[in-house]
Amino acid sequence: MIEIENLTMNYGDLRALDGLNLTIQPGELFAFLGPNGAGKTTAMKLLTGLMKPDAGRVRLCGHDIQQEPLRAKALLGYVPDVAVFYEKLMPIEFMEFIAELFEMDRDHAAAQTNALFTQFALHEHTRQRIENLSHGTRQRLAIASALLHDPKVFVIDEPMVGLDPIHARTVKREIKERSQRGTTVLMSTHLLNIAEELADRIGIIHHGKLIALGTLEELRDQQEERDLEELFFQLISRHNQSLQATA
């Protein structure tokens, strides 16, 4: 479970996140939608403990990310929009490093690595240096490493970055199956079709505020619009008009 209370973050005079409140239940696959600069990535960095908020708090499975960072992060798998690696390592070495961070049993970690490398077609890259891998292969490795310890909460920013249709389908299937087995999944995406296909609920964020929240059917009923793309643009336009009226 992810619990977000009054989460607020400023960059100087810019309010990147403005009092965000949201609860994502165990086994729910939740999608953040929003234009560039809306606050999606800031929210993810705050709830994963990479940044400290100016106000508010985040709890992962009951553990406050600021007050109990080790307990919270032990339950978390995170894939940022641009994955960062130790470039000189090989993928198998990187997975061993991740397993040690989470204090996993070596045999269990090896079995999990083998299964994930099979799932994401990484075996042929096992002994290559990460610095030589393609963008799509690096993305698959980032996802595999984040899933290695079977996290209770999985957060992924732009999951389909660099993936061809074959590997994108594999990632979509894996994310959906994880949520169906009880993992809480939060993903951020610019691709409306991905949210429409996968998400149990959708939150649309703009100028740091959550301007719409619900299942796809609930959002369609609220706006009397069936097409998600048109619904998205209507909500963004109305929020912009509201901001201009109060300026």
Side-chain angles (χ1 to χ4, degrees):
M1 175 186 285
I2 301 172
E3 298 169 282
I4 301 172
E5 296 180 5
N6 193 37
L7 204 59
T8 302
M9 186 69 187
N10 300 301
Y11 299 115
D13 295 332
L14 174 65
R15 175 148 290 187
L17 209 61
D18 191 1
L20 177 65
N21 289 283
L22 180 65
T23 299
I24 305 174
Q25 299 294 337
E28 183 175 11
L29 203 166
F30 187 92
F32 263 145
L33 295 178
N36 290 333
K40 306 184 302 298
T41 296
T42 294
M44 289 188 156
K45 288 182 177 179
L46 292 172
L47 72 89
T48 54
L50 291 176
M51 297 192 304
K52 185 176 181 180
D54 292 315
R57 66 177 185 174
V58 175
R59 288 190 296 269
L60 304 180
C61 302
H63 301 293
D64 189 296
I65 193 68
Q66 295 297 326
Q67 300 299 320
E68 303 176 276
L70 294 182
R71 288 188 177 184
K73 292 178 183 180
L75 304 172
L76 173 68
Y78 174 50
V79 181
D81 54 345
V82 179
V84 177
F85 302 94
Y86 292 103
E87 298 284 331
K88 298 298 181 182
L89 293 180
M90 296 179 289
I92 191 68
E93 294 172 328
F94 185 71
M95 296 294 276
E96 290 169 353
F97 169 71
I98 296 297
E100 289 186 12
L101 282 181
F102 286 98
E103 299 180 339
M104 296 178 65
D105 174 79
R106 287 189 177 185
D107 290 340
H108 177 62
Q112 288 284 87
T113 296
N114 182 64
L116 288 164
F117 276 21
T118 299
Q119 178 78 0
F120 294 111
L122 289 167
H123 278 298
E124 65 181 288
H125 306 289
T126 299
R127 300 295 174 181
Q128 298 178 31
R129 292 191 187 277
I130 294 174
E131 65 184 353
N132 296 324
L133 300 180
S134 70
H135 191 173
T137 304
R138 291 163 67 98
Q139 178 72 354
R140 301 196 318 270
L141 177 60
I143 294 170
S145 65
L147 295 174
L148 181 62
H149 64 295
D150 286 327
K152 299 293 185 184
V153 176
F154 182 54
V155 177
I156 184 166
D157 198 353
E158 296 297 341
M160 303 306 155
V161 171
L163 298 180
D164 61 37
I166 294 174
H167 293 118
R169 183 178 184 182
T170 298
V171 169
K172 288 188 290 185
R173 184 187 300 119
E174 181 69 17
I175 290 174
K176 193 65 177 179
E177 288 178 355
R178 292 265 173 171
S179 72
Q180 291 171 344
R181 297 201 301 266
T183 302
T184 304
V185 178
L186 170 60
M187 69 175 181
S188 169
T189 181
H190 289 102
L191 302 177
L192 302 183
N193 64 305
I194 297 299
E196 187 170 13
E197 180 181 352
L198 296 179
D200 298 313
R201 279 195 306 159
I202 295 170
I204 298 177
I205 191 169
H206 190 39
H207 291 299
K209 286 184 174 292
L210 195 62
I211 63 172
L213 175 67
T215 66
L216 182 57
E217 285 305 312
E218 288 170 345
L219 294 178
R220 284 169 168 164
D221 291 342
Q222 291 167 15
Q223 303 301 318
E224 298 182 351
E225 175 59 58
R226 306 309 296 173
D227 181 73
L228 179 59
E229 182 176 9
E230 185 60 33
L231 184 156
F232 176 82
F233 286 122
Q234 283 184 13
L235 287 165
I236 295 298
S237 177
R238 289 173 188 170
H239 188 63
N240 286 335
Q241 292 172 6
S242 176
L243 291 174
Q244 292 170 2
T246 57

